[in-house]
Amino acid sequence: MSEPFDPPGQPWVRVSPRLATLRRLLLLALGVPVAAAAAVLVGLLHRSLGLAVGIVALAGLAWGFVVLGRRVRSWGYAERDDDLLVTRGVLNRQLVVVPYGRMQYVDVTAGPLDRRFGLATVQLHTAAAATDAQIPGLVPAEAARLRDRLAARGEARSAGL
Amino acid sequence: MTENGAVSDTQRADQFRRLHPLTPVLRGWKVFAAAVALGAQQAYGRDTPIGWLLLAVAASIPIGVVYGFVSWRTTRYRIDSEDLRLDTGVLFRRSRQVRLDRLQAVDVVRPLVARALGLAELRLEVAGGSSAEAPLAYLSEPAAQRLRAELLARAAGLHHETPEAPESVLVKVPLRRLVEGQVRSVGLIAAIVVLVALIAVAATTGQWSVLGVFVLPALFGIVPALVRTVIVHFDFTVAESPDGLRLRHGLLETRAQTVPPGRVQAVRLVQPLLWRSRDWYRLDVNVAGYAGDGQSQTSVLLPVATRDEAFAVLRRVLPDVDLGAVATYGVPGRARWVDPVSWTGNAAGADDKVFVARRGRLRRETDVVPHERVQSVRLTQGPIQRRLSLATVHVDTSPGPVHPTAHHRDAADARALLDAEVTLARRSRAGARPDRWMRPPERPAGPTVAR
């Protein structure tokens, strides 16, 4: 049923599953205290209602846990001779094709948590602000390789505006 | 860096030029007027003696004059074959180089007061900036015209003393049509209907206060916008020259825009519902330098035009493109579930030059983007679209009012459209025309340079 987002004759390169681990840890770190606080507060007023709130919050967290995994698994990219393809999204899906000749610059970013988990994000920029081509959850070595390769190909196929 | 810069500056100082000496006066009078107004407002109704106020204003004048003079002395510019250099700043010096082959547009703007003094501002638009990169404010009008011609000649790769290119007027928008075009808006008609209904209600009930509550805000919301559009687009003239398209318009502040060939990134042809009986159109464009700052003023290629005029200008902007001959394909009937009204108007297609996306049923829009201007192509699908097996194709160009989008197409068809666009864009990039449009290309160019 997913033909429109099929890979372009070569398989998608998927991002590191560690990204899912990182995001899940963030979800738990933020979600568990909030859920616990809500359950306790409501529980002080009304015991069984507090229990219900706790159960709903737990179910929500479990659902978020599953969704995060699916979202991370949905990211993928493919390098072709003339362009880079990036796909993402479970509910709202997107596939973007960026020609190397249109790249203005490439960013590699990694926050403190990303670095601890050995992850980095590569983002491509063109003259169009709408171009949304970022690839999170790359191993730093792969991110650097991708950046250099994109830069080299962009140079070779550069076109003006 | 400063040492070397200083040495080379003194060596070539004779090539530097300055802005018009009246510049500080023109820049300063607004601040002065604001200070006087603020002071008067503060003093009003208090027992502050008027003498003190006058003294404060008088004291601020020499400071302003000295600052204005120093600021004028420290602002200078120089043009050589490759770029424009502009040095500005009193305390924090800034020296900026603008590459002329990357010039996207040149505007000569004349605000009301500047017109009275015979001055003009020259704005160079370069891609990627949020506002004009190198505004030269102010120059005398003949100097601004000469400089504009010189910059365009250099940007085109010609000798800088090439005389100003001749122009031929393509379209002049008559005032009557401009006003009528604004009056024929659904918003205004609806407002008038509501107004009449309210007057009827007020007359029957005797409650005249409802008029004040509802009508005045509505009038303040709609009328100034209409008047403003008429003032900004007053006497709109489109002329063609080898420099590119020249647009001139404005009643109080006049603006003369020059968009060199190949600088138009995308075009939108709009026909609001009430213009249909007249067969009028509006043309909007994406020009890389115009994004952001005053976009609504600068991105209009034609405010109200007849069909023939609109297509004549369109042919100049996109040579070798016959919009009528580009086959566009509609969307499947199930798209009505996500777009109940206008799904019948949605269509998209491409020939070997341009990508075309049509949309709308009441207000019709046609977006056109040359393949060689496409920056990236996107395919998106939301949850409802997925259930209906639909998808949307976005063609990304430089920022501006035009976002060519093929909404709610059959999913497999959308992917085919995406793949086709990627291929077409790659082919036409390979044959794109050079940045310096009058200079012969260094490598054999493709068929797109034919014109």
Side-chain angles (χ1 to χ4, degrees):
Chain A
M1 196 48 230
S2 60
E3 327 101 34
F5 291 88
D6 276 351
Q10 64 194 72
W12 293 120
V13 181
R14 296 296 177 179
V15 304
S16 166
R18 283 207 296 273
L19 183 65
T21 317
L22 170 60
R23 293 199 171 166
R24 281 169 171 167
L25 279 178
L26 281 175
L27 175 77
L28 293 183
L30 293 172
V32 169
V34 171
V40 167
L41 279 178
V42 178
L44 287 177
L45 297 173
H46 194 290
R47 240 174 131 178
S48 51
L49 203 63
L51 198 67
V53 167
I55 289 171
V56 168
L58 269 184
L61 283 176
W63 181 75
F65 212 78
V66 175
V67 164
L68 280 179
R70 283 179 60 195
R71 272 181 54 186
V72 167
R73 277 196 302 277
S74 75
W75 283 98
Y77 62 96
E79 292 167 76
R80 290 197 299 194
D81 286 343
D82 294 286
D83 39 36
L84 179 81
L85 285 79
V86 184
T87 184
R88 68 166 168 85
V90 177
L91 210 55
N92 285 299
R93 298 200 291 177
Q94 174 168 289
L95 168 66
V96 55
V97 186
V98 186
Y100 297 130
R102 284 302 183 207
M103 279 185 331
Q104 301 276 329
Y105 55 97
V106 185
D107 278 345
V108 180
T109 51
L113 281 174
D114 291 337
R115 284 203 300 277
R116 180 144 292 191
F117 275 75
L119 295 172
T121 300
V122 169
Q123 180 153 22
L124 274 71
H125 297 266
T126 69
T131 303
D132 177 16
Q134 64 160 344
I135 314 171
L138 293 171
V139 183
E142 167 70 359
R145 185 200 66 82
L146 196 60
R147 176 198 61 204
D148 294 344
R149 189 162 166 161
L150 291 175
R153 292 193 173 187
E155 192 82 9
R157 285 170 178 73
S158 148
L161 201 55
Chain B
M1 175 212 134
T2 44
E3 294 263 304
N4 284 337
V7 170
S8 63
D9 283 357
T10 45
Q11 280 167 352
R12 296 192 221 160
D14 57 323
Q15 292 177 348
F16 273 104
R17 298 181 233 178
R18 287 194 199 288
L19 300 174
H20 195 277
L22 278 177
T23 299
V25 178
L26 207 51
R27 286 204 172 153
W29 79 269
K30 274 185 204 161
V31 182
F32 181 70
V36 169
L38 194 71
Q41 194 206 358
Q42 289 293 319
Y44 183 75
R46 302 212 193 137
D47 43 357
T48 316
I50 200 78
W52 282 109
L53 192 71
L54 287 176
L55 198 68
V57 169
S60 69
I61 289 175
I63 300 173
V65 167
V66 168
Y67 180 82
F69 178 74
V70 173
S71 153
W72 173 76
R73 281 288 297 179
T74 52
T75 303
R76 51 186 195 165
Y77 63 96
R78 188 177 72 195
I79 301 165
D80 49 37
S81 59
E82 294 296 322
D83 43 33
L84 171 104
R85 184 170 147 192
L86 177 64
D87 294 355
T88 52
V90 177
L91 285 178
F92 295 90
R93 304 281 296 142
R94 192 183 73 177
S95 180
R96 174 168 274 182
Q97 305 249 19
V98 178
R99 273 181 62 183
L100 292 183
D101 59 346
R102 289 297 157 102
L103 207 58
Q104 300 293 326
V106 185
D107 289 8
V108 177
V109 185
R110 297 188 301 155
L112 190 61
V113 181
R115 276 173 77 185
L117 294 172
L119 300 183
E121 175 183 357
L122 193 78
R123 289 190 188 176
L124 295 125
E125 305 282 357
V126 186
S130 54
S131 58
E133 261 66 23
L136 295 176
Y138 292 87
L139 303 163
S140 76
E141 266 175 44
Q145 293 298 335
R146 263 201 318 276
L147 195 59
R148 192 191 64 89
E150 182 183 338
L151 285 171
L152 286 165
R154 286 186 191 267
L158 297 172
H159 190 262
H160 67 276
E161 277 168 5
T162 308
E164 187 172 354
E167 64 171 42
S168 61
V169 173
L170 290 176
V171 180
K172 253 179 128 63
V173 179
L175 178 62
R176 201 175 150 261
R177 196 201 295 158
L178 186 62
V179 173
E180 194 183 333
Q182 291 311 308
V183 172
R184 283 173 172 263
S185 80
V186 175
L188 187 67
I189 304 279
I192 289 170
V193 168
V194 170
L195 176 66
V196 170
L198 278 176
I199 288 175
V201 168
T204 48
T205 61
Q207 298 276 327
W208 289 98
S209 60
V210 287
L211 284 182
V213 176
F214 291 104
V215 175
L216 287 181
L219 285 181
F220 280 121
I222 293 175
V223 173
L226 293 182
V227 173
R228 204 182 115 80
T229 310
V230 170
I231 288 175
V232 167
H233 294 145
F234 183 81
D235 199 21
F236 204 101
T237 308
V238 183
E240 186 197 25
S241 81
D243 281 352
L245 277 186
R246 294 190 187 162
L247 315 177
R248 280 191 300 271
H249 53 99
L251 178 63
L252 305 176
E253 173 179 296
T254 67
R255 187 180 281 264
Q257 301 170 240
T258 309
V259 181
R263 258 47 169 188
V264 169
Q265 308 278 332
V267 188
R268 163 177 289 170
L269 195 63
V270 189
Q271 186 172 52
L273 179 64
L274 298 177
W275 289 11
R276 208 179 284 174
S277 58
R278 295 275 188 184
D279 207 16
W280 285 348
Y281 295 88
R282 195 180 81 221
L283 280 179
D284 293 334
V285 285
N286 286 3
V287 170
Y290 283 153
D293 170 53
Q295 183 183 299
S296 57
Q297 281 189 35
T298 49
S299 295
V300 175
L301 192 58
L302 263 180
V304 197
T306 64
R307 186 186 189 82
D308 289 346
E309 288 169 352
F311 279 84
V313 171
L314 205 57
R315 270 195 299 279
R316 298 306 199 287
V317 176
L318 304 170
D320 313 323
V321 172
D322 183 4
L323 202 53
V326 181
T328 54
Y329 303 95
V331 299
R334 58 184 189 275
R336 71 163 63 86
W337 299 110
V338 271
D339 194 357
V341 178
S342 60
W343 68 276
T344 49
N346 289 353
D351 68 356
D352 58 337
K353 296 272 192 304
V354 289
F355 174 87
V356 177
R358 299 178 200 277
R359 64 186 293 234
R361 185 157 164 189
L362 304 175
R363 171 196 169 93
R364 290 177 183 152
E365 295 180 357
T366 306
D367 292 351
V368 188
V369 53
H371 295 310
E372 60 185 90
R373 301 288 164 212
V374 173
Q375 299 289 335
S376 64
V377 194
R378 281 180 299 140
L379 182 68
T380 58
Q381 188 180 48
I384 302 171
Q385 285 185 315
R386 186 177 187 186
R387 184 144 294 190
L388 295 167
S389 186
L390 298 171
T392 297
V393 178
H394 308 256
V395 175
D396 302 325
T397 69
S398 78
V402 190
H403 309 279
T405 309
H407 292 276
H408 312 310
R409 306 194 67 75
D410 174 72
D413 173 47
R415 177 62 186 265
L417 194 66
L418 175 101
D419 289 336
E421 184 53 38
V422 167
T423 311
L424 287 164
R426 183 174 66 232
R427 272 194 212 137
S428 55
R429 263 201 312 280
R433 74 162 86 199
D435 269 344
R436 293 184 180 257
W437 60 94
M438 295 294 257
R439 187 176 280 178
E442 280 144 25
R443 54 180 174 181
T448 41
V449 198
R451 220 188 113 79

